């Protein structure tokens, strides 16, 4: 009888140790639906995630899960929690786990990790894993709408693997999409030696760039890299920062969007899209564009309000879109001086 009672109480104690994990799962399921992105779900559940994760991690440090939770499961859950709570950058997700990370990917992995952990602490729990898969289908579908934007589709059509585009890159491309009226060609470059050059004494001067493919208007353009394969200029900036860059060429005045392709956290290529920008956008559309592209909206407001009491968004509707995305912030701010 004593043995039975001890086993029963021990089972209850193990079951209670999963309560913080159940709270996380309940909060995530309550916030998830077919119209919300993974990022929106994680933001809404941030407080509950932080509180419950603290309880779990405290218990982990104190050894409360020794003998009841597999070490691999504990490591997997604690790792994905860092990304779900925003303690680690999503670009590092790819470097650490070997797969491109989006909020939807993180959320799906979190559901799976929670399901495995709860399964080990409470039996039976098969329904939880099934429910997690059902819930995350809608979330993944919402985030996949980014891939359907014309600018992202154009990059993928060039032959760039989805895994080579970070979530930050996809999000920036989706934000830039309203600015681009047409993609009229591309040049895809392969980059080598960037990691070695970054470690060298001469900085990044030894990285090499070569044309991999061209199409559209790019076919009639002779790339500088045929004569000089040194990675430099704007392409060097894109490769090092690993951020999308919209630019107007100082050489021939062509407008382009440069997209970094990363492998294991290092830029392995750049896809340069030749584009024709839209003429004008509504003020609200322009605000959204600037907010989603290199934080230019905040930068512009900061410069303008140095000399002007208020920032009038309406003026953005009168500025050519090409200038909105490519002009230096200081030049753009001059529109608010009149």
């Amino acid at each position: 009888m004593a043995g039975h009672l001890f086993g029963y109480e021990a089972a209850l104690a193990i079951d209670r140790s999963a309560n913080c994990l159940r709270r996380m799962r309940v909060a995530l399921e309550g916030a998830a639906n077919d119209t919300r992105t993974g990022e929106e779900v994680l933001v809404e559940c941030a407080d509950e995630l932080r509180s419950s994760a603290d309880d779990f991690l405290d218990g982990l440090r104190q050894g409360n899960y020794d003998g009841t939770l597999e070490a691999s499961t504990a490591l997997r859950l604690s790792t994905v929690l860092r990304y779900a709570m925003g303690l680690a950058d999503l670009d590092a997700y790819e470097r650490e786990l070997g797969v491109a990370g989006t909020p939807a990917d993180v959320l799906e992995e979190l559901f799976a990790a929670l399901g495995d952990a709860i399964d080990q602490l409470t039996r039976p729990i098969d329904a939880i894993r099934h429910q997690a898969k059902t819930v995350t289908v809608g979330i993944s579908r919402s985030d996949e709408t980014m891939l359907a934007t014309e600018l992202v589709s154009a990059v993928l059509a060039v032959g760039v693997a989805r895994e080579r585009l970070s979530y930050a890159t996809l999000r920036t491309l989706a934000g830039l999409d309203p600015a681009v009226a047409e993609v009229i060609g591309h040049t895809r470059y392969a980059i080598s030696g960037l990691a070695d050059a970054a470690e060298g004494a001469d900085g990044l001067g030894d990285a090499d760039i070569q044309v991999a493919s061209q199409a559209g208007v790019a076919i009639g353009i002779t790339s500088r890299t045929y004569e000089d394969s040194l990675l430099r200029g704007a392409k060097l900036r894109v490769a090092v920062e690993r951020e999308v860059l919209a630019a107007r060429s100082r050489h021939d005045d062509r407008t382009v969007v440069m997209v970094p392709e990363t492998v294991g956290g290092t830029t392995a290529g750049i896809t340069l899209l030749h584009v024709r920008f839209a003429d004008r956008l509504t003020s609200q559309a322009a605000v959204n564009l600037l907010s989603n592209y290199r934080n230019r909206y905040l930068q512009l407001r900061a410069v303008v309000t140095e000399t002007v009491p208020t920032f009038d968004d309406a003026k953005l509707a009168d500025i050519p879109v090409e200038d909105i995305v490519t002009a230096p912030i200081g030049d753009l701010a001059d529109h608010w001086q009149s």
Side-chain angles (χ1 to χ4, degrees):
M1 179 64 72
H4 282 298
L5 287 174
F6 177 82
Y8 175 70
E9 293 298 331
L12 288 179
I14 294 171
D15 182 81
R16 283 194 297 271
S17 71
N19 285 344
C20 56
L21 307 183
R22 294 190 187 99
R23 290 198 301 269
M24 280 190 267
R25 188 179 65 83
V26 169
L28 292 170
E29 286 180 345
N33 58 47
D34 284 352
T35 62
R36 285 182 175 171
T37 66
E39 184 174 21
E40 290 169 341
V41 172
L42 291 174
V43 168
E44 179 170 332
C45 298
D47 291 340
E48 180 59 47
L49 277 179
R50 190 176 301 108
S51 174
S52 298
D54 286 346
D55 290 343
F56 169 69
L57 295 173
D58 285 344
L60 203 60
R61 284 188 290 268
Q62 294 169 17
N64 296 345
Y65 295 96
D66 293 354
T68 59
L69 190 62
E70 293 179 5
S72 59
T73 303
L75 176 62
R76 177 190 183 194
L77 181 54
S78 58
T79 298
V80 73
L81 277 172
R82 289 192 292 113
Y83 294 98
M85 294 188 295
L87 301 178
D89 189 84
L90 280 177
D91 285 342
Y93 191 89
E94 178 183 355
R95 293 193 294 271
E96 183 169 4
L97 300 180
V99 294
T102 69
D105 296 327
V106 172
L107 189 56
E108 188 165 1
E109 177 66 13
L110 180 55
F111 268 116
L114 285 170
D116 286 345
I118 294 171
D119 190 25
Q120 291 168 26
L121 298 170
T122 309
R123 294 173 176 80
I125 206 71
D126 290 341
I128 288 180
R129 277 198 291 261
H130 173 73
Q131 189 173 6
K133 292 178 181 178
T134 302
V135 169
T136 54
V137 165
I139 299 166
S140 300
R141 187 182 302 118
S142 296
D143 270 17
E144 289 298 310
T145 58
M146 285 193 304
L147 301 180
T149 60
E150 292 186 13
L151 206 52
V152 174
S153 296
V155 175
L156 296 175
V158 167
V160 180
R162 162 65 184 86
E163 292 74 19
R164 293 170 72 104
L165 301 174
S166 70
Y167 176 69
T169 293
L170 288 173
R171 186 172 182 177
T172 302
L173 287 172
L176 271 176
D177 194 68
V180 176
E182 184 181 12
V183 176
I184 55 179
H186 83 267
T187 300
R188 190 179 181 195
Y189 298 93
I191 294 174
S192 59
L194 183 61
D196 294 337
E199 297 169 0
D202 57 349
L204 298 165
D206 295 330
D208 185 80
I209 183 169
Q210 300 281 349
V211 172
S213 66
Q214 290 180 293
V217 298
I219 293 177
I221 302 173
T222 301
S223 172
R224 170 193 63 81
T225 61
Y226 286 122
E227 297 180 357
D228 179 7
S229 64
L230 187 67
L231 178 62
R232 60 185 182 184
K235 296 182 187 67
L236 174 61
R237 178 185 174 189
V238 171
V240 173
E241 295 179 344
R242 299 195 295 275
E243 290 187 35
V244 174
L245 178 66
R248 179 168 41 207
S249 171
R250 298 175 62 183
H251 174 65
D252 54 20
D253 217 35
R254 296 180 185 274
T255 48
V256 299
V257 174
M258 288 179 269
V259 183
E261 303 176 30
T262 60
V263 176
T266 300
T267 303
I270 291 175
T271 292
L272 184 149
L273 299 177
H274 292 271
V275 302
R276 180 174 62 82
F277 286 113
D279 182 27
R280 298 286 197 282
L281 292 174
T282 65
S283 59
Q284 185 56 56
V287 168
N288 294 338
L289 171 62
L290 286 169
S291 299
N292 287 307
Y293 175 61
R294 287 182 167 262
N295 206 26
R296 280 173 68 88
Y297 182 70
L298 181 59
Q299 295 177 49
L300 181 59
R301 282 184 63 102
V303 172
V304 169
T305 53
E306 284 285 343
T307 56
V308 177
T310 58
F311 184 84
D312 184 7
D313 289 344
K315 286 185 178 291
L316 288 168
D318 299 324
I319 304 174
V321 172
E322 182 178 324
D323 291 340
I324 287 177
V325 295
T326 67
I329 291 295
D331 293 350
L332 203 54
D334 290 341
H335 289 273
W336 278 260
Q337 300 304 317
S338 57

